Amino acid sequence: MSQATVVAEAPADELDLGPELADAVEGAWAEDTEKTYVIAPDRILDVLRHLRDVQGYDFLSNLTCVDYKGYGGKLRADVDARLEIVYNLYNTRRGGGSIGLHVRVPEDETVPSATSLYAGANLQEREVYDLFGVKFEGHPNLRRILLWDGFNGHPMRKDWQEAYFEEDVKPFRSRHPKGEYAFHEDKIPWAKNTTYPAGWDPDSWQEPVAYVPVSQAPHHENEPHLDTESIVVNLGPHHPSTHGVFRMLTRVEGETILALEPEMGYLHRNHEKIGERNTWLMNMPFTDRLDYLNSMSNNWSYALAVEKLAGIEVPERAEYLRVIMAEFTRIVNHTWSIGFILNDLGALQTPALYAIEEREMILDLFEAVSGARMMCNYMRFGGVVRDLPEGWHEQAAYLANERLPRALDELDTLLTENEILKARGRGVGYLPVEDLIALSVSGPMIRAGGLAYDIRKAEPYGIYDRFDFDVPTLPNSDIYDRYYIRLLEAMESVRILQQALRDIPEGETLGGRGGYTLRAPEGEVYSRIEAPKGELGFYLASDGKVAPWRYHVRSPSYINLNALGPMSIGYKVADAIVILGAIDIVLGEVDR
Amino acid sequence: MASLPPDFQQLKQDQLTPFLHDEIAVPDELQANVLITTVDKIYNWSRRSSMWPLLFGLACCAIEMIATAASRYDLARFGMEVMRPSPRQSDLMIVSGTVTKKMVPAIVRIYNQMAEPRYVLSMGACATGGGPFKEGYNVVSGIDKYIPVDVYVPGCPPTPEALIYGLLKMHEKVDRQSVTSVPWYRKDTSQFVPVPRLGPDVFDPRQVDLIKDTTLKAAAATTAAAANGASAGATEHARGPAQLSDKAIARMEEAKRRWREKKGLPE
């Protein structure tokens, strides 16, 4: 499938549902910031079906929940329902902005699951169930996902307090301004970050039965006399091929995978809970640690969301600097990812070492400009934190014009025609692009399936509309194409870098005060960028105070894992390793 | 002819004298090749020059660990480039990243599976004390709450230089050990760490009594508050290895019985 690049068209501002669904809309919400529509819970599936089938909103980008218990803002003065489920939908054929839907649910009620319409709702609904306790009716596998079965309570609820809880919002009075505080460990008898419900007896505790993936009866049409048995094989959480602490439960027959379930949460670091205690700016360094290979683009995504919410302008030079940093980051990510796809294919270490070489050159630039190699914390609301040091521009231009094109060409020469890569990659992990869209997969994965959907073109942010670059696509949607698309995208990034470094103007780099005392207006916003791994979005809700009321990260790595099971079925165990590698996940972003 | 030496030191000295004063003829071709050293020195030198880390990445720090192993920083200079995915084959566990409650049972299990001599390096702020995520509900505030740590490397994440410095400190620590006193050649010094369990929250089997006191007291006092409000300063009791459950013991007895039966041994 080949087609023209999806570009932004006029977004649909009004939700035109037609006469038979008009009564499903209960009202609008947050009209000052980003208008969304409140839908009756029993009609949500009808509305979603209409939007998907009639209006072409085929991509469920974001599904999350907000707990409004104790909300201090004015907007919800007359609303009783405690929880709200939020949906953000996009049209991948037309580009443009999103349709935001809300469903209000009282505490103990269920919501119809969207999995029957958007298969990609699977992991996101499980996350909402885990962290908020909202039950989705009709979900095929509603289990806890980030925490473990048996965990006490639903931690993202506003009245759930962790062991080291001090206050709702930072800075804590115990530390600021005097700074004399006792260690939390000293306040808890067992000196650990744990709490137990009153009356719980550890001696009689039984761990819940371990989950095993659904058994599918082995079938042998050609050899009916074979009597085989399928077994469950566990990979991870400590396994060299899982790119971190990730676990795959596979049911295999021989070496063929019958079912595969991802298990995550081994790096669940509670970004969202901590983010709601932090002030707006304090979250910036935490975004570095989401996708820790790409701190610059994470910074940018969060800064964009807050700027959209608070209406902050960004100076010209800062826009250019952001593009430069984000594109360098993309090259870092893609070369890294290529190296590790090859690693997973069995070309242990050598290609990865080649790929990391350029990364070190780019990290030197990041270190010069921000002071840190990986966790740059470089962007602020309204610009970037400091201007370039002396000599930076020359070195960056050398990289963009000479060194990086050469290095990418070298990778191309060494790998693209490699016979083993072709033999292992061609036709493996195939899933048609329509299925990938339905599974909410984004980024290089869908472009390797032939859909030229890139947010830099489809909903341009920053100054991407000024640059001349293409959105490469490949037709086959297999491992090989997922490898090659990353190389092509890195080459396009080099093109953008060359233009940006040529055109960058002089001027100030930070408009305003950088948000040190920011109070965002009441409302909500969903903003996304084309991060190297796919669509990175931030959903922020504000009650007008110093901290976000809700801080949700729509991370591409996590949601792309929706496709891992469907892509792996029917292939061998060794292929599943590469299929996972070609999704290109980073666990910091998967588990958050 | 000298009389019997008065003590052991003198005897040792006498035995060394011929070596020190070239009274023993060393063949010419070996003249430049013979070195005299202590057992400790050669033992520690060989151990620290081939200290294989466990291929084990937790979070962001793992990326810097990989960068340290890659060409620019080149961990091979220290004989450490062979990262082993199996705990049985590795000497050093680099805890590189945030330790979460869901992960900590696996980490302790891996630590228990490593063969002595084993070392633990805590890399970065998270592994050392929880770091920026310390307050999180799923974060363990430092791996040393569960397993002993030899070297701490601060940083978020530590640069490769910092990690190398930490590894050199580890080498120094190894150099100071003596084969006569290291615990792994002694009896009854097994450092088996009870594996934490996942309940309503993660709990350490060594602290079961302490937790039970607090939770049951809280229930009795009918306070709705969570159990962490208990009086500070309560002492902590390490209880040693976890007791096996009756069920497990019965299972083992049954297996023993079957084995005896198979071999025809008496009950």
Side-chain angles (χ1 to χ4, degrees):
Chain A
M1 189 174 80
S2 69
Q3 60 169 59
T5 306
V6 181
V7 292
E9 291 172 29
D13 272 332
E14 290 304 315
L15 187 68
D16 182 20
L17 289 177
E20 66 270 21
L21 281 172
D23 60 323
V25 181
E26 290 179 337
W29 158 257
E31 298 186 36
D32 294 343
T33 49
E34 196 171 61
K35 189 174 176 182
T36 53
Y37 298 90
V38 182
I39 309 291
D42 50 340
R43 302 300 298 278
I44 180 68
L45 289 189
D46 297 332
V47 172
L48 288 176
R49 186 175 295 118
H50 174 88
L51 286 173
R52 186 190 69 168
D53 296 342
V54 181
Q55 300 198 18
Y57 283 92
D58 51 357
F59 187 74
L60 174 69
S61 165
N62 176 42
L63 190 159
T64 185
C65 181
V66 191
D67 179 8
Y68 280 106
K69 184 174 177 133
Y71 184 72
K74 299 185 197 72
L75 280 175
R76 274 181 64 101
D78 51 345
V79 182
D80 291 333
R82 174 175 176 180
L83 300 160
E84 287 199 16
I85 311 290
V86 183
Y87 303 81
N88 286 91
L89 305 168
Y90 286 91
N91 186 333
T92 57
R93 310 285 155 172
R94 206 187 52 183
S98 80
I99 289 265
L101 304 176
H102 277 223
V103 172
R104 293 192 169 138
V105 260
E107 204 165 326
D108 303 320
E109 286 185 23
T110 58
V111 191
S113 165
T115 42
S116 57
L117 296 166
Y118 296 98
N122 179 5
L123 292 184
Q124 308 200 57
E125 284 183 353
R126 279 179 67 189
E127 183 192 336
V128 170
Y129 165 69
D130 188 357
L131 302 183
F132 288 91
V134 179
K135 289 200 178 68
F136 290 90
E137 215 174 313
H139 191 286
N141 187 14
L142 199 62
R143 289 184 299 125
R144 282 191 182 265
I145 185 162
L146 296 175
L147 296 161
W148 57 92
D149 286 334
F151 186 83
N152 179 38
H154 299 284
M156 279 305 288
R157 292 194 168 197
K158 288 283 178 185
D159 51 4
W160 197 98
Q161 291 175 351
E162 55 270 45
Y164 288 172
F165 174 78
E166 276 195 68
E167 283 173 61
D168 278 329
V169 172
K170 288 176 191 171
F172 297 144
R173 275 188 290 267
S174 64
R175 320 201 178 191
H176 181 79
K178 282 188 182 161
E180 296 162 358
Y181 66 96
F183 283 105
H184 287 295
E185 281 92 333
D186 300 339
K187 300 176 195 161
I188 295 176
W190 41 83
K192 289 195 174 78
N193 184 8
T194 54
T195 83
Y196 307 95
W200 177 68
D201 186 356
D203 283 339
S204 62
W205 174 255
Q206 289 288 321
E207 268 144 56
V209 181
Y211 172 81
V212 290
V214 187
S215 167
Q216 297 181 357
H219 58 94
H220 307 283
E221 278 124 12
N222 302 328
E223 290 110 332
H225 58 280
L226 277 182
D227 180 24
T228 58
E229 200 181 339
S230 67
I231 55 167
V232 174
V233 174
N234 174 58
L235 293 161
H238 162 65
H239 191 275
S241 74
T242 54
H243 295 230
V245 282
F246 180 69
R247 185 169 162 218
M248 292 189 282
L249 283 170
T250 56
R251 182 169 279 279
V252 295
E253 192 210 334
E255 270 197 75
T256 310
I257 292 174
L258 299 178
L260 188 151
E261 278 276 335
E263 279 280 310
M264 42 204 115
Y266 296 96
L267 192 53
H268 179 46
R269 304 193 276 196
N270 330 124
H271 273 273
E272 295 184 3
K273 188 83 178 175
I274 296 173
E276 287 166 21
R277 305 231 185 281
N278 284 346
T279 63
W280 292 98
L281 187 64
M282 280 182 194
N283 278 331
M284 189 61 86
F286 281 88
T287 62
D288 288 335
R289 287 154 181 83
L290 283 168
D291 175 356
Y292 32 75
L293 286 170
N294 305 316
S295 60
M296 288 288 194
S297 42
N298 301 341
N299 281 180
W300 194 5
S301 183
Y302 178 58
L304 264 182
V306 176
E307 281 155 12
K308 198 168 156 189
L309 184 65
I312 300 170
E313 293 287 318
V314 182
E316 185 84 358
R317 184 173 170 83
E319 291 277 23
Y320 273 91
L321 286 175
R322 286 178 172 190
V323 170
I324 291 169
M325 299 305 168
E327 295 306 321
F328 268 132
T329 297
R330 197 181 308 276
I331 295 170
V332 167
N333 180 76
H334 283 352
T335 50
W336 182 278
S337 144
I338 288 169
F340 281 80
I341 291 175
L342 267 293
N343 222 353
D344 291 340
L345 279 170
L348 203 62
Q349 292 181 352
T350 310
L353 291 181
Y354 267 82
I356 292 172
E357 203 180 326
E358 301 313 311
R359 174 176 185 263
E360 288 291 337
M361 305 301 290
I362 295 171
L363 291 198
D364 280 352
L365 290 179
F366 287 171
E367 191 172 8
V369 79
S370 73
R373 279 159 53 88
M374 277 173 73
M375 307 304 177
C376 299
N377 187 19
Y378 181 57
M379 297 187 194
R380 293 290 180 273
F381 312 134
V384 297
V385 69
R386 65 180 74 79
D387 207 342
L388 303 178
E390 205 177 321
W392 197 94
H393 189 277
E394 290 74 30
Q395 177 67 11
Y398 161 69
L399 278 187
N401 293 318
E402 294 176 37
R403 191 173 162 124
L404 288 177
R406 208 162 57 215
L408 293 173
D409 281 347
E410 187 188 37
L411 277 181
D412 195 7
T413 319
L414 291 173
L415 299 177
T416 304
E417 292 300 319
N418 183 297
E419 198 161 334
I420 297 173
L421 185 57
K422 280 188 164 173
R424 288 290 310 274
R426 277 274 178 235
V428 176
Y430 172 76
L431 208 60
V433 71
E434 293 76 20
D435 290 7
L436 291 174
I437 294 288
L439 287 163
S440 298
V441 174
S442 55
M445 295 269 289
I446 53 171
R447 292 192 285 277
L451 179 64
Y453 187 78
D454 186 319
I455 300 168
R456 291 175 292 175
K457 292 272 192 197
E459 195 191 0
Y461 52 93
I463 49 165
Y464 273 114
D465 45 0
R466 299 185 198 174
F467 298 109
D468 173 30
F469 67 101
D470 298 325
V471 179
T473 57
L474 292 170
N476 295 322
S477 195
D478 56 11
I479 300 288
Y480 182 82
D481 277 7
R482 282 172 209 145
Y483 143 73
Y484 195 44
I485 196 79
R486 294 201 160 90
L487 197 59
L488 296 178
E489 281 186 18
M491 289 171 177
E492 289 302 318
S493 291
V494 170
R495 270 178 77 191
I496 300 176
L497 275 175
Q498 289 167 351
Q499 296 168 46
L501 286 165
R502 185 191 65 207
D503 298 342
I504 181 168
E506 291 298 320
E508 62 173 351
T509 54
L510 185 60
R513 299 181 54 195
Y516 290 99
T517 52
L518 181 78
R519 276 173 196 267
E522 190 180 353
E524 67 167 42
V525 73
Y526 176 68
S527 154
R528 57 181 193 154
I529 67 160
E530 184 69 37
K533 293 186 163 62
E535 178 180 327
L536 174 65
F538 278 84
Y539 171 82
L540 305 171
S542 166
D543 60 346
K545 304 274 167 49
V546 292
W549 181 262
R550 179 83 176 98
Y551 167 82
H552 173 67
V553 188
R554 185 263 184 229
S555 64
S557 300
Y558 177 65
I559 293 168
N560 287 358
L561 281 176
N562 270 317
L564 178 64
M567 279 197 306
S568 307
I569 289 173
Y571 296 99
K572 308 287 184 210
V573 177
D575 293 331
I577 304 293
V578 199
I579 291 170
L580 176 71
I583 296 179
D584 188 17
I585 58 165
V586 151
L587 264 296
E589 202 179 48
V590 172
D591 296 337
R592 286 154 291 147
Chain B
M1 183 73 196
S3 60
L4 278 175
D7 60 7
F8 177 72
Q9 283 301 330
Q10 187 58 46
L11 175 67
K12 204 171 162 189
Q13 196 60 45
D14 285 356
Q15 286 179 345
L16 272 176
T17 311
F19 292 96
L20 294 174
H21 298 284
D22 290 342
E23 288 174 17
I24 293 177
V26 179
D28 283 347
E29 65 272 23
L30 290 180
Q31 283 278 331
N33 296 343
V34 174
L35 296 171
I36 293 178
T37 182
T38 61
V39 173
D40 276 349
K41 213 161 200 168
I42 197 107
Y43 177 71
N44 290 335
W45 170 80
S46 57
R47 283 194 309 136
R48 74 160 157 74
S49 306
S50 63
M51 188 180 263
W52 292 356
L54 183 64
L55 179 58
F56 174 60
L58 286 175
C60 335
C61 290
I63 305 293
E64 285 298 60
M65 187 174 77
I66 295 169
T68 313
S71 336
R72 190 185 204 180
Y73 297 96
D74 197 9
L75 217 43
R77 291 178 294 161
F78 308 102
M80 302 179 81
E81 80 282 11
V82 199
M83 294 213 176
R84 292 281 116 178
S86 162
R88 300 286 189 204
Q89 298 172 331
S90 50
D91 310 307
L92 168 67
M93 177 192 246
I94 301 179
V95 184
S96 54
T98 315
V99 182
T100 62
K101 291 178 185 174
K102 198 170 175 179
M103 190 62 196
V104 73
I107 297 176
V108 172
R109 206 167 282 137
I110 292 169
Y111 175 77
N112 284 337
Q113 286 169 358
M114 285 170 69
E116 293 273 16
R118 59 189 169 189
Y119 300 90
V120 178
L121 185 143
S122 149
M123 180 181 182
C126 290
T128 303
F133 302 100
K134 182 177 177 181
E135 64 197 285
Y137 53 82
N138 192 29
V139 175
V140 171
S141 29
I143 187 61
D144 55 1
K145 294 265 188 295
Y146 291 93
I147 58 177
V149 174
D150 294 286
V151 173
Y152 297 89
V153 180
C156 188
T159 56
E161 293 92 330
L163 178 60
I164 289 175
Y165 183 71
L167 294 172
L168 292 179
K169 285 284 160 194
M170 178 73 79
H171 288 180
E172 281 176 28
K173 180 164 184 168
V174 172
D175 273 341
R176 283 199 302 271
Q177 291 182 312
S178 168
V179 70
T180 55
S181 62
V182 287
W184 50 88
Y185 292 131
R186 296 171 166 242
K187 279 182 186 165
D188 306 327
T189 49
S190 165
Q191 299 198 351
F192 171 74
V193 179
V195 177
R197 292 176 64 199
L198 294 175
D201 209 330
V202 73
F203 66 99
D204 194 331
R206 290 172 293 192
Q207 292 179 328
V208 161
D209 280 357
L210 190 65
I211 292 166
K212 205 155 67 176
D213 282 356
T214 317
T215 53
L216 297 183
K217 205 190 291 166
T222 62
T223 44
N228 62 11
S231 63
T235 47
E236 190 178 326
H237 301 288
R239 282 159 49 83
Q243 294 296 314
L244 289 171
S245 70
D246 293 344
K247 234 172 163 176
I249 292 171
R251 212 166 49 228
M252 282 160 62
E253 289 300 328
E254 173 65 18
K256 271 189 212 161
R257 196 189 58 74
R258 276 207 308 271
W259 183 77
R260 284 213 183 92
E261 210 173 77
K262 200 173 159 191
K263 295 271 175 188
L265 294 169
E267 285 290 314

